[in-house]
Amino acid sequence: MTQLTSDMPVESLRLGFIGAGRLGCALAWSLAQRGVSVHAVASRSESGAAALAEPIEGCRILMAQAVVDTCDLVFITTSDAGIAPVARSLRWRPGMGVVHCSGATEVDALASAAAAGALIGGFHPMQTFSDPAAAVRSLPGCMVTVEADPVLQAVLARLVARLDCTVNVLPPGMRARYHAAGGYASQFVNVLLAEGARIWASWGGDEEDAMRALLPLLKGTVSAIESAGLDKGMPGPVSRGDVGTVAGHVQALTEMDADAIALYRALCRRTVPLALRAERISAATAQEIQRVLDE
Ligand SMILES: NC(=O)c1ccc[n+]([C@@H]2O[C@H](COP(=O)([O-])OP(=O)(O)OC[C@H]3O[C@@H](n4cnc5c(N)ncnc54)[C@H](OP(=O)(O)O)[C@@H]3O)[C@@H](O)[C@H]2O)c1
């Protein structure tokens, strides 16, 4: 087995995966499709490992230690809680690489591998992986946060480029904060849509209709943000300075229930600085909107 060097071409790497779940499959398949050798996989279940290996020519199903022993760079793609115990349970070689793909877990979860001389790192794609085949299609264009020893950093950056993704570099100790930020473009979008559907249900509308109405709106908003930016791409009454419309919302949701108005107030307060930043409303209008929200 070779030791990693910063100028090592990705074609000469032998990659291994431990953990054949949603992200493991999507990442292994994407790399294999782009000419990187995914040499071996281990997982808790043989069926999981077989699902990852099946579409990749030459990918072997091995025990986790054999993956480590036969690969130059190993991706631990178990659940977050499994990363440190899996790393501790294996014997690592000096100069090989090992990374995890968790956004929230610090890289030192791999400290036991580092103690054996392995180069350790984090490789976190900022994307949702639910259906691995769909994730293969949505991965190009994403940002991948790489935090690693310098030699491994260079190797991982080339893998990111091979995936047609871009590298984000994160200072140590910031992973929990960084991962929380990602939640605003993932699970909290679900929460906001669920609140829209709950309001929709208050007059007897069903969730399916609500999603038919709200999802195209969400897509339009995302395109507006992409083309005009967060502030100038923000739609809605605050961005137009429609104080009366905001007052109508406040009254309607206050009549609905305490939760509905509490969330509306918290979110609407955050729209005001964006509208100001876009120079769409004056300071006086911003104050008027704040007054309506505080009433
Ligand atoms: N899903 C996402 O959207 C996403 C996005 C970015 C980052 N990530 C990160 O990617 C990593 C994997 O997440 P995931 O969503 O792919 O999880 P997942 O679908 O639950 O897959 C984890 C896989 O790890 C295997 N596994 C668990 N414990 C193991 C052990 N001790 N030894 C070997 N294999 C073991 C399981 O395999 P079996 O099926 O064989 O039991 C399971 O399929 C996590 O660190 C997560 O934070 C996920």
Side-chain angles (χ1 to χ4, degrees):
M1 287 297 97
T2 45
Q3 296 206 338
L4 295 183
T5 56
S6 53
D7 57 356
M8 198 165 178
V10 292
E11 290 79 9
S12 63
L13 280 172
R14 276 180 156 201
L15 297 194
F17 280 79
I18 300 175
R22 293 163 293 183
L23 176 135
C25 286
L27 192 55
W29 297 346
S30 298
L31 288 163
Q33 282 172 11
R34 288 157 188 269
V36 182
S37 163
V38 176
H39 176 71
V41 58
S43 200
R44 207 169 34 190
S45 70
E46 182 141 355
S47 59
L52 185 147
E54 198 267 326
I56 304 177
E57 206 187 319
C59 181
R60 300 196 290 165
I61 300 169
L62 299 175
M63 301 301 285
Q65 186 60 55
V67 173
V68 173
D69 293 343
T70 57
C71 293
D72 308 307
L73 171 59
V74 173
F75 283 78
I76 299 183
T77 47
T78 62
S79 58
D80 292 359
I83 294 167
V86 165
R88 275 197 302 273
S89 71
L90 298 167
R91 290 181 311 280
W92 302 92
R93 294 185 315 279
M96 72 175 297
V98 52
V99 298
H100 72 63
C101 294
S102 166
T105 308
E106 293 294 337
V107 172
D108 65 10
L110 302 172
S112 51
L119 309 178
I120 63 169
F123 186 97
H124 176 249
M126 195 54 116
Q127 185 51 278
T128 297
F129 297 82
S130 46
D131 167 17
V136 166
R137 292 190 294 275
S138 58
L139 191 55
C142 291
M143 180 176 262
V144 179
T145 292
V146 175
E147 182 187 342
D149 302 80
V151 168
L152 182 56
Q153 180 88 22
V155 173
L156 295 177
R158 278 200 295 284
L159 287 177
V160 172
R162 184 56 68 96
L163 290 166
D164 285 327
C165 292
T166 54
V167 173
N168 175 46
V169 179
L170 196 65
M174 285 297 132
R175 295 187 86 82
R177 210 183 275 195
Y178 150 83
H179 195 244
Y184 289 85
S186 55
Q187 81 266 24
F188 295 151
V189 177
N190 300 52
V191 174
L192 293 176
L193 289 175
E195 181 66 359
R198 199 173 75 82
I199 297 170
W200 198 275
S202 70
W203 66 83
D206 66 24
E207 188 168 310
E208 211 177 304
D209 275 348
M211 289 307 102
R212 262 205 297 275
L214 299 180
L215 281 176
L217 184 55
L218 175 65
K219 288 176 188 165
T221 306
V222 170
S223 332
I225 295 169
E226 277 176 345
S227 58
L230 268 182
D231 49 7
K232 292 195 169 63
M234 184 180 74
V238 173
S239 73
R240 294 188 294 271
D242 278 340
V243 183
T245 304
V246 175
H249 291 172
V250 168
Q251 187 182 340
L253 296 180
T254 303
E255 285 162 14
M256 189 179 141
D257 61 47
D259 266 3
I261 188 60
L263 184 59
Y264 182 88
R265 279 202 168 105
L267 292 170
C268 205
R269 285 193 177 105
R270 296 297 190 101
T271 61
V272 175
L274 278 177
L276 276 171
R277 200 173 92 182
E279 299 178 346
R280 302 278 304 269
I281 61 171
S282 66
T285 305
Q287 271 179 1
E288 266 291 279
I289 295 169
Q290 292 289 8
R291 189 187 55 72
V292 165
L293 291 171
D294 292 343
E295 266 170 8

